[in-house]
Each structure stands twice: as C-alpha cells, then as structure tokens.
Amino acid sequence: MNRPELVCPAGTPAMLRAAADAGADAIYCGFQNATNARNFAGLNFTPNQLQDAVAYAHARGAKVLLAINSFATAGRYDLWQKAADCGAACGVDAFIVADIGVAAYIAERHAGRRLHLSVQAAASSPEAINFYCREFGVRRAVLPRILTLAEIHQLKTEIDCEIETFIFGNHGLMVEGRCSLTNYAVGISTNMDGACSPASEVHYDRNTAGVVTARLGSHVIDRFAPTEQAGYPTICKGRYCTSPRDEPYYAFEEPISLNLMEMLPALIGAGVDALKIEGRQRSRAYVSSVVTSFRRAIDAVVAGRKPELVDLVALTEGQKQTQGAFATKKWR
Amino acid sequence: MLPTPSLAARHRRRPQWPHVPAVLLAPLQPLLQRIVRKVAREQPALFARLGPHGRSRFLIDARDLPFILLLQPDPVHPRLRALSRAAAVDCDTHISGSCRELVTMVDGRQDGDSLFFSRDLLITGNLEAAVCLRNALDDIDGSIMQHVCVALGKPGKMLWSWFCSREPLRGSECAAA
C-alpha cells in the first residue's frame, strides 16, 4: 500500500511549525497579497517568514508548497510573477497554481520546480488534467470535492500525474475558481483578489433576544437563534427566503465540514497520492489537533491496522460533518 | 482540544453580574498595564499582523467576569484597562466569550473559528480588526499566559498554577513553569 503525503495548511509561521511538529509531510501557505486564495486580513507570510519556514520544515523532513492559486488579472500580472520568483528563491518545493499564465511562467522560469494544479482550476476530467500535465508539466492535480471515490479511482488510471484530494475542512461544493458571489455582493473577487467574504465586509449584530444577524456588505445572509450553531459568513452558506418555501433555508449548501477519516483506507487503496487538510485561516490549535489525528490514522492504515477514529466534530463548521460527494452524489 | 458542554447548557449558565465600582478595579490597572507592555515588548512582530488595526479599541467581554477589559494594542503606547460593566465604552470591536475560552484561544489552545461555530464566541463591530488580532496572537509560539504569569513573580506563578489546575491538558507547559 502506498504511503500518501499528508498536506496541511499554514496561515502563519507558528501554524506551519505546529503542522510540521504534528507530522505533516507537506505544508501549503501563501504570501500576504492577492496571489493566493486565502488573502485574508492578518494572515499569510512575508518573504522572510517564508524563507525561515522552509528551513524549519525541511529540517523536519516536510515540504513547503506555495499557493499562487488566484487568477492574475491584466495590468498586475507582475505580482504573480514576483510571487513565483520569490517562492523559488525561498526554496519552496512546489507551486500550487490555477492560472494558465502563471503556470506557463513558472514552467518556463523555474523549470526544475514541481507544479501542482490547484483545486481553483476546477479540473475534474482526464482531458482537462492531462492538458495541464502536457502543456505545463503539472505533477499533481488537487481534485474538486465533487467526485465520488469510484470516480477518483477511475480518474487515477486515466491521468499522467499524482492525485491530491481533500480529507478535512471546507466542504467546497461550488465550482471552485468560478464562484463570483462575493464579487457580486461586495465588489471583491474570490478568484482574482483571493478573498471570499473578506472580514472588512462582514458584520454581526446581536439583538436583545440573542439572535445574531450576519451581513456581507449590505446583504443579510443569515440569522442564528441563540441555540443554533453557526457557519462561515459566506453567501453560499447563508439562509434565504425564496419561493415556494415559507421559512429561510440553505439555498446553496449547508455549513458543514468534510471529514473523510473513515474513508482513508478506501482513498489510499484508490491510489490517492496526497491527502489535504483545508484551513489556512484557522489556528495553531486546529492544525495541531487535525494533523495529529490524521497522521495517526494514515500511519495506521498504511501499517495495515484499523485507524482510531478521533472525534473532530468540535472543529467542524456548523459542528456538522459529512463525507459529501466522496460517498455519494446525493449527499444533501 | 478542550471538552465543550452542549450549546443549550452553555446558554443556561450565563451569569448576571452586579455593578463593580471603578475604585474596586483600580488595583488591577497597573497589573494589566504591565501585562500588555510585556507582551508588546517581547512580541513586536504581532503589530505587523495587526496592520492598520494597531490603534483599534477592542472591548473584551469575558462573560463570567464581573468587569470588562478594553485593549488598545498600540505599538508605542499599548493599553489594557479593566472597566465596570456599567461604563459607557466607545470601542471598534466587541469580543465576548467565557473567560476560559478567551484565554485558551489567546494561548493558542482553542480554535477561534470553532468557538464561533459553537456560538461560544461573538464578535460585533469591526470584524477585520478582530481577525487581525486573533491571527497576530496565534502567530506567537508557546503560551502567552505562561510568559505573562512567570514575569509577574510569585503571585503570577501562583496564578499560573491555578490555571494549570483548571486545564489538565496543559501538561508539559505547566512543568516548564
């Protein structure tokens, strides 16, 4: 049985150290600008921090993957080029990209460096993935969270690169890299500015009855009764009043997290090369807990033992978890 | 991660505090000021993550304390003051949760998003400022509480021992103190 890489998130240098110490094989991170899809306030790395982080990770046998996975826009393409050059100078092991211009630039200027195809590219067919492999030398594709295990198994036999799948965190059912909901609401693009529901546009108000109203820009996207769990303030996970329903409901998707711990033996058996934990915007506590749990579980599966299933529901969005489309297309 | 009681149970046990006059809080002020100055002096990198919010006013409302705290993480003149719950406070961001949850989050042992999902943490006002503060504090290795307590001498070490007695998961950090 192959031993897949455990790929873990880091939004800060301390998170990266926590991930490396907890047993991550690879850690992904981004710079403090629009070149990555978690361009959130107070998050991410400066070039100097990245350089130190690479040294820390390498000393512990872990790789560092640099996410340059937003889409470069006309007039500021140099920002993405500089991010790639800087990442190469810092010694990152691979770049995670979505934009074909960025992929072409790295393939040409930093030919020895691995290229991974971001989930932001939303490539889910053998034809699409093989195009990236052929044209840019992509070595690994991060699959959208819309494929069943059987489809992943089949895909593995039809593509020319490694497969990485998400195993924990954001459920992410939107066609990633194509979602314009935040842009529509507040004029900031998830895909080109790297910020989905930026905190500067999110507001919570609590009334005297304890009901909390969540707004993105001027749009009310949810209301939580005092005893209801909450989710991220994103439009896709809001509740809306739409005909013919009388009550507000989750019109797009529910606040719920993906958790594939029980499915690890099947995923590894299907030949998945890397298993990814989502959550650069979270914390050291999240990374330590989730990475430690999955490290033990993966090691157990690879050693032929039954993995201990750790309860991670306290860390999930909305305090709910699912196997999503990996188990069935009828997950809802 | 620390075990968490059910949502309904947590809502049942929110205390209603009597008014604490400012004069009773006066002995706390120099201690709080010493704490915030020490953190600012030893962790200058956190101000870079705060960005434009270094001069924001954060009202920290630990629901199970009889007073509230007002934090201004100014890089030059940081301030942390205890205020009466009856005080009219002008703030940019209001952060509320239980004392234990706020402390463990600041200390990097609780995930802030999880506390928000479970409704144990509520932030109103400028959310971006709160997110920057959370990220800045989370980028500090080790336990801020431990550093602060140890620096306060014998009373601080006693306080740290008390924290440790209430947090059995702390383990090695307690031994190191």
Side-chain angles (χ1 to χ4, degrees):
Chain A
M1 183 173 277
N2 68 320
R3 183 183 187 276
E5 227 173 57
L6 178 59
V7 183
C8 306
T12 63
M15 251 175 105
L16 181 140
R17 291 188 286 273
D21 295 347
D25 296 309
I27 304 152
Y28 62 103
C29 52
F31 284 127
Q32 294 174 346
N33 58 34
T35 60
N36 75 95
R38 287 284 185 270
N39 179 24
F40 292 150
L43 205 69
N44 293 323
F45 290 64
T46 64
N48 285 342
Q49 288 169 343
L50 181 63
Q51 195 161 31
D52 292 344
V54 169
Y56 188 93
H58 285 177
R60 284 151 186 80
K63 298 172 188 160
V64 175
L65 319 178
L66 182 63
I68 309 182
N69 61 342
S70 50
F71 291 86
T73 47
R76 54 175 192 163
Y77 183 67
D78 61 330
L79 187 64
W80 280 258
Q81 290 178 320
K82 284 177 185 169
D85 295 342
C86 188
C90 289
V92 300
D93 298 278
F95 294 102
I96 307 171
V97 299
D99 183 294
I100 54 174
V102 174
Y105 179 81
I106 295 173
E108 184 185 325
R109 292 293 183 92
H110 305 291
R113 212 74 60 152
R114 281 175 66 99
L115 265 183
H116 294 183
L117 187 63
S118 171
V119 70
Q120 282 284 98
S124 57
S125 69
E127 291 78 8
I129 293 170
N130 283 334
F131 169 81
Y132 286 101
C133 297
R134 188 174 64 245
E135 297 300 322
F136 310 112
V138 160
R139 307 275 293 277
R140 179 185 294 175
V142 185
L143 298 182
R145 286 157 274 204
I146 55 170
L147 300 171
T148 63
L149 183 62
E151 288 171 330
I152 292 169
H153 206 158
Q154 177 64 29
L155 191 64
K156 175 71 181 171
T157 66
E158 297 173 333
I159 62 172
D160 304 323
C161 69
E162 299 169 1
I163 279 180
E164 181 171 308
T165 62
F166 283 91
I167 52 171
F168 192 85
N170 181 24
H171 193 199
L173 298 172
M174 308 300 280
V175 180
E176 286 166 282
R178 312 284 193 273
C179 176
S180 293
L181 291 174
T182 289
N183 204 346
Y184 169 75
V186 299
I188 295 170
S189 168
T190 302
N191 308 312
M192 292 176 280
D193 299 308
C196 171
S197 285
S200 58
E201 299 289 341
V202 176
H203 300 279
Y204 294 106
D205 297 299
R206 182 178 184 270
N207 70 13
T208 51
V211 174
V212 172
T213 299
R215 287 186 174 80
L216 180 65
S218 59
H219 305 271
V220 172
I221 57 175
D222 212 339
R223 283 203 176 92
F224 307 106
T227 54
E228 275 187 305
Q229 316 287 355
Y232 278 121
T234 57
I235 294 178
C236 57
K237 288 165 186 171
R239 276 180 287 194
Y240 306 96
C241 300
T242 60
S243 175
R245 299 206 185 192
D246 295 329
E247 296 294 320
Y249 79 111
Y250 294 109
F252 298 100
E253 55 178 300
E254 295 183 23
I256 192 168
S257 288
L258 184 73
N259 184 353
L260 300 186
M261 191 172 280
E262 286 187 50
M263 211 179 255
L264 284 176
L267 283 170
I268 296 171
V272 171
D273 302 279
L275 302 162
K276 185 170 206 158
I277 294 165
E278 184 272 346
R280 281 194 280 147
Q281 74 285 6
R282 300 293 287 261
S283 64
R284 280 187 290 151
Y286 169 90
V287 159
S288 295
S289 245
V290 178
V291 176
T292 299
S293 303
F294 274 98
R295 175 78 279 156
R296 287 179 186 154
I298 292 166
D299 288 348
V301 173
V302 171
R305 302 192 307 273
K306 194 175 175 187
E308 180 194 353
L309 299 177
V310 180
D311 183 3
L312 295 172
V313 76
L315 292 166
T316 57
E317 188 176 0
Q319 313 258 281
K320 289 183 288 185
Q321 53 194 4
T322 178
Q323 294 182 333
F326 290 82
T328 169
K329 296 280 191 187
K330 299 176 183 175
W331 65 84
R332 188 159 182 173
Chain B
M1 295 296 294
L2 304 169
T4 309
S6 74
L7 189 55
R10 293 195 300 275
H11 276 271
R12 277 198 301 272
R13 65 178 193 197
R14 287 185 184 172
Q16 295 296 314
W17 291 105
H19 170 64
V20 179
V23 66
L24 292 181
L25 297 173
L28 270 180
Q29 310 300 6
L31 183 68
L32 294 171
Q33 199 55 30
R34 193 170 158 192
I35 289 171
V36 77
R37 280 191 189 139
K38 177 177 169 55
V39 173
R41 193 171 54 244
E42 294 185 355
Q43 308 290 344
L46 71 82
F47 295 105
R49 288 207 180 273
L50 277 170
H53 303 293
R55 288 179 172 78
S56 294
R57 294 160 63 89
F58 297 89
L59 194 159
I60 299 164
D61 177 3
R63 295 175 193 137
D64 40 3
L65 289 183
F67 54 87
I68 53 176
L69 295 167
L70 185 64
L71 170 69
Q72 291 172 272
D74 186 298
V76 182
H77 300 295
R79 297 186 74 185
L80 180 62
R81 285 181 296 152
L83 300 170
S84 162
R85 287 190 169 275
V89 182
D90 179 29
C91 69
D92 299 292
T93 302
H94 185 142
I95 301 169
S96 69
S98 76
C99 184
R100 178 198 192 208
E101 280 141 1
L102 292 174
V103 165
T104 52
M105 180 175 67
V106 166
D107 240 7
R109 287 178 294 124
Q110 275 276 22
D111 177 60
D113 289 11
S114 300
L115 291 176
F116 168 75
F117 297 148
S118 62
R119 306 291 303 280
D120 289 299
L121 178 71
L122 177 65
I123 298 166
T124 55
N126 189 330
L127 184 72
E128 184 178 80
V131 168
C132 286
L133 179 64
R134 189 278 306 263
N135 289 337
L137 292 171
D138 201 59
D139 196 26
I140 296 173
D141 284 314
S143 164
I144 296 176
M145 285 298 295
Q146 183 185 6
H147 292 314
V148 165
C149 288
V150 169
L152 294 176
K154 197 171 178 183
K157 287 182 179 172
M158 288 169 63
L159 181 64
W160 178 248
S161 298
W162 179 76
F163 275 126
C164 290
S165 69
R166 294 171 63 88
E167 302 291 350
L169 295 181
R170 194 182 291 272
S172 60
E173 289 173 1
C174 281

